[in-house]
Amino acid sequence: MGNNVTKANVSAEFEDLKRDLNQGSVPEVADKYKKCLNEMHDLPLNIAVTGDSGAGKSSFVNAIRGVTDDDDEAAEVGVVETTMQPKGYPHPKFPNMKIWDLPGIGTPQFKAAEYLKQVNFETYDVFIIVTSDRFTENAALLAKEIGRTTKKFYFIRSKIDLSIEGEKRKKNFNKEKTLETIRNYCQGCLQSPGEPPARVFLISSWKVQEYDFPLLQETIAAELPEHQKDILTLAVHIFSENELMKKKEAMKSYIKKVAWVSFTCGIVPIPGLSMACDVGILVNALRKFCRVFGLDDRSLRFLARQTGKEYEELKSAIKKTPLANTINRDLVLSFLSKSSVWATVSLVELGLDFIPAIGSVFGGVSSYAVTYNFLNSFLDNAVEDARNIQAKFLK
């Protein structure tokens, strides 16, 4: 755990803390940050996956959740239509985000004219329209109806890996030209006279690191309303440096909120309360970091299945952080005992520096200092390990 920390750079990091305290009372500011922290856990995001029967909707639902088709909590997958009513599947690591597996449009039970009413259209924030061949009139109808609202929708051509495998048998096969041909064909099926070509993402639910799956994740996250961006950003798989950096920025904001919660524990004059709160807060925060950056057993096993790499090979890339399921109070106390904050910063001196500005809140400042710097150091390590895993499966 270790960035070098000095009193000077720790003090510089607390300028926001000083400003916030000068602008409002401790309870007011604390309540604001606690509310923001809770929103990250509680704000809902509902993504609906729809399209023609048999297009691979359920496999996509599983893939975007980081679940394999044969897991106990997977959406049911079959060679015939298996989804008879809308069913929401919580993301295993972020349960406030649900991926909804909707019945196929155009079946006898779900005729196109009544489809949107039957699946409770207003329930969902984003729609993903899936086909495994050409886009039909039903897909165009869906897009037209969704387009009447402010909600976003995305076209997906699934099972692209199977199409590529089939084309490989032909002479003069060129992967990029084949993908371009498929994309143009799909766009042609959807384009209305005088309208620009529709965006179509070519994906495989069994090779999520390839084709347009990473681009789809980034695009949806970028186009969500501001209050929902972080939810998807933190949940998605990491396939690029851009996604990694977006996760890092979101977690830096999270760190400030966690440090404020720690601060409010620290100012309560009950012996031992500050330390007990800090350790409990840090255990939860470190587990969240590991889940966000894929440093957990579930994520590693999913990536191993998707990329054809061995689980142990991917796990060996993790050098600086523990797996999420191994984090407990004893481990956190062990990390804290080696923390550069405790080793090189005099918290007594730092606390005294704050007293003229904000009063006698030394315990709170100490808790804030330890939590803020400890989590930033852990964040740097988590980013490095996530980057190492990415390098392994992209080789």
Side-chain angles (χ1 to χ4, degrees):
M1 292 290 301
N3 296 339
N4 292 326
V5 178
T6 66
K7 179 189 168 188
N9 63 36
V10 173
S11 296
E13 290 168 350
F14 293 159
E15 289 306 312
D16 285 346
L17 173 61
K18 290 184 188 179
R19 186 185 65 250
D20 288 345
L21 285 170
N22 287 333
Q23 291 176 351
S25 68
V26 170
E28 288 173 346
V29 179
D31 284 345
K32 179 185 76 172
Y33 278 96
K34 284 180 180 177
K35 181 181 179 182
C36 291
L37 191 60
N38 290 335
E39 283 180 349
M40 185 176 283
H41 296 287
D42 300 335
L43 271 177
L45 175 60
N46 293 290
I47 300 176
V49 181
T50 183
D52 292 313
S53 175
K57 301 185 304 296
S58 299
S59 287
F60 176 79
V61 167
N62 294 332
I64 201 168
R65 295 166 58 233
V67 172
T68 55
D69 288 346
D70 53 1
D71 282 350
D72 291 341
E73 57 197 334
E76 186 178 356
V77 175
V79 294
V80 296
E81 179 66 31
T82 56
T83 305
M84 293 294 106
Q85 60 183 0
K87 184 172 182 180
Y89 292 89
H91 191 286
K93 294 185 283 188
F94 298 89
N96 53 319
M97 171 177 150
K98 283 188 178 180
I99 314 297
W100 288 81
D101 192 4
L102 303 189
I105 187 172
T107 60
Q109 297 92 338
F110 293 90
K111 296 180 180 179
E114 297 294 320
Y115 183 80
L116 291 176
K117 186 184 296 185
Q118 288 176 289
V119 299
N120 301 316
F121 171 79
E122 295 300 328
T123 303
Y124 315 108
D125 301 298
V126 175
F127 286 82
I128 295 172
I129 304 171
V130 184
T131 186
S132 59
D133 188 7
R134 66 183 182 88
F135 285 95
T136 63
E137 291 182 4
N138 289 334
L141 171 65
L142 278 174
K144 183 177 180 180
E145 291 302 315
I146 297 168
R148 297 182 192 277
T149 74
T150 58
K151 297 183 180 184
K152 293 286 187 179
F153 60 90
Y154 303 88
F155 290 114
I156 287 179
R157 163 64 157 84
S158 66
K159 306 181 184 180
I160 199 68
D161 54 320
L162 300 181
S163 298
I164 292 297
E165 285 300 316
E167 291 295 314
K168 279 182 178 179
R169 300 186 182 93
K170 297 181 179 179
K171 290 181 179 180
N172 302 318
F173 167 75
N174 181 290
K175 182 177 179 181
E176 293 308 316
K177 286 185 177 180
T178 300
L179 291 172
E180 183 181 1
T181 298
I182 295 172
R183 192 187 309 277
N184 290 340
Y185 174 73
C186 291
Q187 289 174 336
C189 292
L190 295 165
Q191 190 170 7
S192 300
E195 294 292 329
R199 288 183 301 179
V200 178
F201 296 87
L202 312 181
I203 68 122
S204 165
S205 295
W206 295 282
K207 294 182 179 180
V208 294
Q209 78 282 8
E210 297 185 27
Y211 310 109
D212 290 341
F213 202 109
L215 177 61
L216 174 68
Q217 291 185 154
E218 290 191 52
T219 303
I220 298 175
E223 296 179 353
L224 280 169
E226 286 299 324
H227 67 283
Q228 293 177 321
K229 285 183 185 294
D230 283 352
I231 301 171
L232 187 60
T233 296
L234 296 178
V236 298
H237 314 293
I238 302 171
F239 298 121
S240 70
E241 185 67 16
N242 185 44
E243 286 173 315
L244 185 60
M245 290 300 100
K246 285 182 178 179
K247 283 180 181 277
K248 182 177 182 179
E249 285 306 307
M251 293 311 291
K252 287 179 78 70
S253 173
Y254 171 77
I255 286 173
K256 182 178 178 180
K257 298 175 180 67
V258 174
W260 251 105
V261 175
S262 180
F263 176 90
T264 58
C265 286
I267 62 174
V268 179
I270 300 176
L273 177 63
S274 177
M275 175 59 73
C277 282
D278 285 346
V279 174
I281 288 168
L282 291 174
V283 168
N284 290 332
L286 296 195
R287 287 174 180 167
K288 184 177 184 72
F289 275 62
C290 289
R291 292 193 296 268
V292 164
F293 290 99
L295 307 174
D296 62 282
D297 189 74
R298 175 193 292 275
S299 296
L300 292 175
R301 294 192 184 281
F302 175 77
L303 283 175
R305 287 279 295 271
Q306 289 277 332
T307 63
K309 302 291 183 181
E310 294 293 330
Y311 166 81
E312 291 297 335
E313 181 184 0
L314 296 180
K315 185 179 177 183
S316 71
I318 302 176
K319 306 292 185 185
K320 294 190 173 183
T321 50
L323 289 181
N325 65 305
T326 67
I327 296 173
N328 54 34
R329 293 178 63 85
D330 290 341
L331 185 64
V332 169
L333 286 170
S334 172
F335 283 157
L336 283 172
S337 69
K338 303 169 187 175
S339 169
S340 55
V341 178
W342 284 12
T344 63
V345 177
S346 169
L347 292 179
V348 174
E349 186 177 358
L350 183 62
L352 292 174
D353 286 347
F354 276 81
I355 286 177
I358 62 174
S360 183
V361 290
F362 165 64
V365 172
S366 300
S367 293
Y368 187 99
V370 171
T371 301
Y372 187 91
N373 285 276
F374 179 80
L375 290 181
N376 271 288
S377 179
F378 193 91
L379 174 61
D380 288 341
N381 290 337
V383 168
E384 185 176 335
D385 279 342
R387 190 177 283 125
N388 291 339
I389 292 173
Q390 184 183 343
K392 285 274 188 186
F393 70 71
L394 292 179
K395 267 200 310 190

